[in-house]
Amino acid sequence: MTHTGLLALEFRRVLLSMAVGVACWIAMGNPYIGAAAALLMLLSLWGWQLSRLYRWFANPDEMPPLGDAAVRGILRDVYLLRSRGLAQETVTPDSRGYRDDSIGSLREAAMIVNSRSELLWCNDAAEYLLNIELAEEEGNRLSNLLPGKALTKYMRKENFQKPLRFRPGSDPEYCLQFEFSRFGASDRLVFIKDVSEQDKLERMRRDFVGNVSHELRTPLTVIKGYIETLPSLMSERDARLQKPLASMETQVTRMENLIADLLWLAQIETVEGERKEDLVDVCALLSSVAAELRSAWPDRDIALHLISVRRLLGDERELHSAISNLVVNALKYSVTGPVSVKWLDSAVGPVLIVEDEGLGIAAKHIPRLTERFYRVDTSRSQEVGGTGLGLAIVKHVAVSHEAKLFVESQLGEGSCFRVVFPSSRCADPD
Ligand code: ADP
């Protein structure tokens, strides 16, 4: 209720009392009796409202009294303030019980640990999944409940962006996924899921692709051998076979590249969660990739800008394959023009940049580029010997090095691929 609204209502009440006073004056013929009646009327109206207000204050669980409009406005505001206060009181004194009840009713296993990873609380589902009793384990460290280096290292790093998959115990099929989130001063809420089935299916898919690719290698090598030796055995009359044989050779080479990429991708996936801590001299690596590619593409300009000298903790072979896939793409998808490769420092960490002035990519394709076998232009990709797996490999290598891949491109103007590594992967200080 506004201030002026209140004043208007009070003014009406005074007018009413004055009217009663004037009526008494006329009836009794005495102005003093009229004034006393008006005053009495005003005081009793206020007294009556005040007494109802005090009664409600004494018993706040009741609805506020419905006074006239002036008091009703004040009462409604007081009532709202009061109910908010009551609601807070309900949560504050026993907020721990409230929290335990709400998270305890979750079907997903949840626990709360402090900054020293000591168990503060867990729900029934977590007790069941981890086969523990909260009463016995409260205060115990998570690393004692679930021994294994991966979990300890993950918690020490305090980077909870990606969930952790972890195999506790000796059963290789049993796999748990932990998702940590910080809350309060320094506590962590941990959700735990049994992902054994999902993990098994992913492993089966990886093994299947790996095995098929591996099995295809031997027959392909034999076929390629015959295709290569046949021309030397052919007579002049068989010259018309030369074109089909050349085409067979091209296709066999494509299949070989495809199998090599599939096997490599399966291998990278298998070791994705493993430690990658070789000390990689990125400047030397970039120089050697550039030298290899300059000899394969002698008429192209590959410009190196090695501004940072920082070395990375990672897997040299994986980094080599990611870099060469990016540079080969830059060469393949630009007919002429230079390809620039940069290694720079940024505020977040070192950055690898591969830029070209080639065909470019329409914005709608960019989000899907790292999907396996996604091609912007299938015929162009096949023409230049693409397998459709190059950027999938780059993405996997980036993820397993905690790096992020960014793509910027303008159709017809060129593309820029940036891989931003976290400073935590650097062996050298800033
Ligand atoms: P591919 O083996 O077909 O090159 P990739 O996974 O390496 O497969 O790349 C996926 C698709 O992204 C390519 O088919 C191509 O259309 C597009 N692409 C990749 N790099 C570039 C680039 N530098 N310029 C233009 N298009 C590119």
Side-chain angles (χ1 to χ4, degrees):
M1 160 137 318
T2 62
H3 197 64
T4 36
L6 254 176
L7 280 178
L9 284 161
E10 277 312 299
F11 187 61
R12 261 173 43 197
R13 202 193 310 273
V14 172
L15 275 184
L16 182 70
S17 306
M18 278 170 71
V20 170
V22 170
C24 287
W25 179 9
I26 293 167
M28 310 296 280
N30 186 336
Y32 295 110
I33 296 180
L39 202 61
L40 198 69
M41 168 101 184
L42 200 58
L43 285 176
S44 42
L45 274 175
W46 282 343
W48 177 59
Q49 272 156 3
L50 278 177
S51 72
R52 287 192 313 164
L53 200 58
Y54 279 120
R55 221 179 316 139
W56 176 61
F57 279 162
N59 198 359
D61 288 343
E62 284 178 9
M63 276 294 288
L66 294 170
D68 66 29
V71 181
R72 221 180 297 151
I74 300 170
L75 287 181
R76 198 203 49 222
D77 292 348
V78 174
Y79 178 69
L80 285 178
L81 282 175
R82 183 142 204 152
S83 357
R84 274 179 215 146
L86 281 175
Q88 274 170 9
E89 275 169 27
T90 345
V91 178
T92 322
D94 192 17
S95 58
R96 194 173 165 164
Y98 182 77
R99 178 198 69 195
D100 292 359
D101 269 3
S102 56
I103 310 178
S105 62
L106 285 176
R107 255 178 279 164
E108 212 166 334
M111 58 164 62
I112 293 174
V113 295
N114 62 17
S115 57
R116 292 184 300 283
S117 305
E118 290 160 352
L119 178 66
L120 301 180
W121 175 89
C122 70
N123 66 359
D124 294 348
E127 283 189 326
Y128 178 75
L129 189 65
L130 304 179
N131 195 18
I132 56 168
E133 291 279 342
L134 177 62
E136 284 170 22
E137 305 295 354
E138 194 174 349
N140 200 353
R141 283 191 170 224
L142 216 50
S143 51
N144 295 333
L145 299 176
L146 297 156
K149 277 189 192 155
L151 186 59
T152 316
K153 193 176 161 210
Y154 181 80
M155 287 185 302
R156 201 175 328 119
K157 269 193 164 178
E158 303 238 321
N159 180 359
F160 302 139
Q161 266 178 338
K162 256 178 58 180
L164 170 79
R165 286 214 178 165
F166 172 68
R167 285 175 225 287
S170 53
D171 182 358
E173 304 260 294
Y174 186 47
C175 185
L176 296 178
Q177 179 168 292
F178 291 77
E179 276 176 57
F180 283 67
S181 28
R182 291 186 189 84
F183 79 100
S186 56
D187 293 343
R188 286 117 174 77
L189 175 62
V190 191
F191 284 107
I192 311 158
K193 259 191 251 168
D194 181 352
V195 288
S196 307
E197 199 54 33
Q198 199 181 328
D199 189 67
K200 189 172 156 194
L201 287 174
E202 280 169 24
R203 202 155 11 98
M204 278 166 66
R205 177 191 58 80
R206 266 198 317 265
D207 291 351
F208 175 75
V209 175
N211 291 340
V212 171
S213 314
H214 197 76
E215 291 301 319
L216 282 172
R217 254 171 135 180
T218 319
L220 259 186
T221 316
V222 175
I223 295 171
K224 192 170 185 191
Y226 280 122
I227 292 172
E228 279 167 0
T229 47
L230 268 176
S232 60
L233 304 174
M234 283 184 332
S235 63
E236 292 278 308
R237 278 178 300 140
D238 299 323
R240 65 208 149 99
L241 285 178
Q242 269 168 6
K243 206 171 159 204
L245 273 175
S247 167
M248 281 162 77
E249 193 171 1
T250 313
Q251 295 308 321
V252 167
T253 309
R254 262 193 67 205
M255 280 174 82
E256 272 186 333
N257 291 340
L258 186 61
I259 286 169
D261 276 359
L262 276 172
L263 279 170
W264 179 230
L265 201 51
Q267 192 178 329
I268 298 175
E269 278 184 323
T270 318
V271 295
E272 195 170 287
E274 289 178 15
R275 279 163 51 145
K276 295 186 171 70
E277 312 236 310
D278 308 340
L279 191 56
V280 182
D281 183 342
V282 181
C283 293
L285 184 59
L286 288 172
S287 305
S288 93
V289 172
E292 282 164 28
L293 295 177
R294 276 181 194 129
S295 61
W297 306 69
D299 50 344
R300 297 297 300 275
D301 174 16
I302 303 174
L304 277 185
H305 306 269
L306 306 176
I307 295 154
S308 172
V309 287
R310 296 177 93 181
R311 290 170 299 169
L312 279 183
L313 294 171
D315 183 300
E316 180 145 7
R317 275 186 69 202
E318 287 188 14
L319 289 168
H320 180 284
S321 86
I323 295 167
S324 73
N325 268 309
L326 286 175
V327 184
V328 166
N329 275 353
L331 293 163
K332 278 191 316 193
Y333 298 107
S334 58
V335 186
T336 53
V339 168
S340 123
V341 183
K342 298 178 185 154
W343 180 238
L344 318 168
D345 284 319
S346 80
V348 276
V351 192
L352 169 74
I353 303 177
V354 179
E355 262 175 310
D356 65 67
E357 297 173 9
L359 305 175
I361 307 160
K364 65 173 181 184
H365 296 293
I366 291 180
R368 301 194 56 192
L369 286 183
T370 55
E371 286 173 26
R372 281 156 208 237
F373 302 114
Y374 186 83
R375 291 167 172 116
V376 174
D377 177 349
T378 311
S379 57
R380 166 101 200 150
S381 163
Q382 287 177 354
E383 210 177 283
V384 292
T387 61
L389 293 171
L391 290 180
I393 292 175
V394 174
K395 173 78 188 289
H396 264 284
V397 174
V399 169
S400 66
H401 287 78
E402 295 143 296
K404 286 211 169 100
L405 172 69
F406 298 93
V407 185
E408 281 163 32
S409 190
Q410 285 287 325
L411 208 52
E413 288 185 18
S415 310
C416 172
F417 289 77
R418 276 183 299 143
V419 187
V420 183
F421 294 88
S423 291
S424 55
R425 279 251 156 221
C426 288
D428 313 279
D430 272 322

